[in-house]
Amino acid sequence: MSLFRLTAHEAADRLRRRETSSVELTRAALGRIASVDPKVRAFVSVCEEQALRQAEAADARLKSGDAAPLTGIPALIKDNMCTAGVRTTCSSKMLESFVPPYDATVVEKLAGAGMVMLGKANMDEFAMGSSTEHSAFFPTHNPWDLARVPGGSSGGAAVGVAADECFYSLGSDTGGSIRQPAGFCSVVGLKPTYGRVSRYGLVAFASSLDQIGPFTKDVTDCALVLNAISGHDPRDSTSLPVPVPDYAQALVPGLKGLRLGVPKEYFVAGMQAGVQDVMEAALVRLQELGAEIDRDVSLPHTPYALAVYYIIAPSEASANLARYDGVKYGFSAKEAESMWDGLEKTKQYGLGPEVKRRIMLGTHALSSGYYDAYYLKAQKVRTLIRREFDRAFEKYDALVTPTSPVVPFKMGERMDDPLQMYLSDVCTLPMNIAGIPGISVPAGFVDGLPVGLQIVARPLAEETLLRVAYAYEQATDWHKKKPPL
Ligand code: GLN
């Protein structure tokens, strides 16, 4: 088997047995990138030289015997996490040549654990989008069908893993941006509890919703990466000061005694028939594994989540993006007649249409006279949604839903229809609103296109997610299928 096909834990085992080296793994990944990335375009930057240097250092560390579980494993980082000395663009003209002077905490942690960073992953500009078509540079293609989208906004990070260009990657999830592309590309993607992972050095989109999490080839890898990035960080006051369990301990077979709820509101009108069939088969499988399944769960506020999200996220974005004024850093329009003219032109030429749409929506929702009607009301409904989940988790250990009601759509198909684009996230937005964790695992295909199964649990119950996901994965082999590249 080609080295690039290995999962991260398989590659790590070979490193520990001295059957391969980090330099060999890195060369295999770089070779794979050279052969398939021109087709899928997951990378905004490839850091070849730096990666090989890091691999040599990792090999030395492995020899010395003080290696961490992921030492020497090549990875990909979404381009909205700061990397010292490496361009961090957010796939925006605004930050096209921005080179941060520091690493995001997650990058620092992984580097400390011996990561080899292959490069930075394409995304929707500032993480606003569901298809990676809103990148200011180029769209990323779905490896299962190059004419279709990989999902978004972390499309590059999902594709890097699905196309075996890297062994794992990091994405960010504000309203589904890890889980939806994981589902669309048939890889594992986890959004941790709000506060589980530090966001220091993550370029802010909507600060009360953003979380960083892993994309991996299987659930075991997901536990390993989560171990490496979780924990309190004094530089992010929203990160939770609670101990981190060893997530690998959650990987046990069988689901005896576990109560799973299936909320009916997630089987929405507009859900594709094929997705429904995949879900039925997945529920049968979970039951065979010993889980008790209740299909009669109702979360009646679910339909409001989309509206709440599209008030809160743009409102926070409009504040966060005010910093791109052409003065401090980033793109700056030089031909300006005055300070205000320069500010306007910087935003006019530096930002793409979806980002402008969000800033306008947010500015409107926060403006005097509309604040109470939109923003304040959205915050109240947010509380109702969170309480509804709290109540559900008194009865169930986890909830199961489709990751998206649709399979990957054709490129261009939803670009002129923002509402249709927003609708592909109806099943993933509520978890960000409630701050609870969710995972998407490969669950099957409809006409060759991937479908994801989403598992959701109470705050800080990532172990439950991993347990259900692992048992399901061990009983199926969807995660072993590879796209025809
Ligand atoms: N697709 C959603 C949006 O456009 C979510 C994006 C995200 O999670 N970053 O806002």
Side-chain angles (χ1 to χ4, degrees):
M1 186 160 79
S2 313
L3 284 178
F4 57 75
R5 293 274 188 223
L6 299 173
T7 64
H9 65 91
E10 287 166 350
D13 285 345
R14 290 204 191 190
L15 285 177
R16 230 153 279 125
R17 294 198 300 262
R18 304 260 188 281
E19 290 166 13
T20 187
S21 66
S22 176
V23 169
E24 275 172 1
L25 292 175
T26 304
R27 285 197 201 287
L30 290 168
R32 179 71 174 166
I33 294 166
S35 76
V36 303
D37 208 58
K39 290 187 226 168
V40 295
R41 309 219 64 188
F43 283 71
V44 171
S45 308
V46 179
C47 308
E48 187 162 344
E49 266 173 45
Q50 175 182 309
L52 286 167
R53 262 187 285 123
Q54 288 172 334
E56 278 165 20
D59 281 331
R61 184 166 163 186
L62 283 155
K63 258 197 208 112
S64 79
D66 87 313
L70 291 170
T71 299
I73 307 297
L76 169 63
I77 305 291
K78 185 176 182 180
D79 212 14
N80 60 350
M81 292 170 222
C82 287
T83 42
V86 175
R87 208 160 65 109
T88 297
T89 69
C90 284
S91 290
S92 177
K93 285 210 172 75
M94 188 60 84
L95 295 176
E96 191 164 6
S97 48
F98 170 60
V99 179
Y102 68 99
D103 277 333
T105 294
V106 287
V107 173
E108 191 179 273
K109 283 192 168 203
L110 289 175
M115 164 179 63
V116 171
M117 192 179 82
L118 294 166
K120 303 296 293 285
N122 197 26
M123 52 187 281
D124 285 297
E125 185 174 1
F126 283 104
M128 297 171 189
S130 314
S131 69
T132 317
E133 293 168 289
H134 287 299
S135 164
F137 308 140
F138 46 79
T140 297
H141 300 256
N142 192 311
W144 295 92
D145 177 348
L146 296 174
R148 290 177 187 266
V149 304
S153 65
S154 313
V159 169
V161 173
D164 290 318
E165 296 175 279
C166 61
F167 294 87
Y168 69 92
S169 65
L170 292 188
S172 64
D173 190 314
T174 303
S177 278
I178 292 175
R179 291 158 290 150
Q180 186 255 26
F184 274 18
C185 294
S186 204
V187 296
V188 176
L190 183 144
K191 180 199 92 76
T193 307
Y194 185 78
R196 176 80 291 187
V197 175
S198 165
R199 299 170 305 159
Y200 177 75
L202 170 73
V203 178
F205 163 11
S207 306
S208 76
L209 302 160
D210 300 337
Q211 259 297 289
I212 293 172
F215 286 101
T216 56
K217 298 184 190 184
D218 68 10
V219 177
T220 304
D221 283 359
C222 185
L224 294 179
V225 181
L226 195 61
N227 277 344
I229 61 173
S230 296
H232 178 246
D233 175 7
R235 293 174 298 186
D236 173 0
S237 59
T238 65
S239 71
L240 297 165
V242 292
V244 181
D246 176 4
Y247 289 112
Q249 304 279 329
L251 310 177
V252 293
L255 295 175
K256 274 247 146 37
L258 228 65
R259 296 154 307 167
L260 302 181
V262 185
K264 51 176 175 252
E265 288 80 6
Y266 285 74
F267 293 75
V268 289
M271 179 164 161
Q272 287 169 356
V275 176
Q276 173 92 41
D277 297 342
V278 166
M279 283 304 298
E280 287 303 324
L283 292 175
V284 169
R285 194 45 67 89
L286 291 168
Q287 200 155 19
E288 286 165 4
L289 286 163
E292 244 172 75
I293 300 206
D294 183 351
R295 289 164 177 260
D296 210 23
V297 182
S298 177
L299 301 172
H301 286 96
T302 304
Y304 301 106
L306 189 74
V308 167
Y309 177 85
Y310 278 98
I311 300 288
I312 294 177
S315 295
E316 294 180 7
S318 72
N320 275 326
L321 271 69
R323 68 187 62 155
Y324 304 107
D325 53 10
V327 177
K328 301 184 211 61
Y329 54 92
F331 171 78
S332 181
K334 289 282 172 270
E335 258 124 73
E337 279 155 24
S338 64
M339 194 267 287
W340 286 115
D341 187 42
L343 190 70
E344 279 172 18
K345 288 209 168 93
T346 293
K347 296 193 187 246
Q348 182 181 350
Y349 299 121
L351 299 174
E354 184 61 28
V355 177
K356 287 179 186 159
R357 177 158 37 233
R358 303 292 175 100
I359 293 174
M360 286 189 284
L361 283 170
T363 309
H364 182 69
L366 292 176
S367 60
S368 145
Y370 292 99
Y371 179 94
D372 287 1
Y374 294 125
Y375 187 75
L376 195 65
K377 188 177 275 172
Q379 292 292 13
K380 290 178 178 168
V381 181
R382 181 177 195 171
T383 302
L384 296 177
I385 292 173
R386 192 172 349 196
R387 285 196 193 139
E388 197 165 271
F389 275 117
D390 288 347
R391 273 198 300 277
F393 292 125
E394 284 167 11
K395 258 179 105 181
Y396 307 103
D397 297 294
L399 301 172
V400 236
T401 79
T403 304
S404 175
V406 295
V407 294
F409 43 91
K410 288 226 167 74
M411 298 182 84
E413 196 181 279
R414 298 186 179 206
M415 278 299 266
D416 298 327
D417 190 346
L419 200 59
Q420 277 305 311
M421 189 74 97
Y422 299 171
L423 278 171
S424 70
D425 301 322
V426 284
C427 299
T428 45
L429 298 169
M431 293 81 218
N432 301 75
I433 288 172
I436 59 181
I439 192 171
S440 177
V441 286
F445 294 84
V446 178
D447 300 330
L449 298 170
V451 177
L453 168 73
Q454 179 176 234
I455 305 147
V456 184
R458 64 174 69 87
L460 293 176
E462 280 80 2
E463 287 160 295
T464 309
L465 299 185
L466 291 165
R467 178 174 169 203
V468 178
Y470 181 74
Y472 177 76
E473 177 186 88
Q474 295 304 302
T476 58
D477 48 15
W478 304 119
H479 63 293
K480 293 193 183 129
K481 301 255 185 299
K482 292 291 179 183
L485 272 178

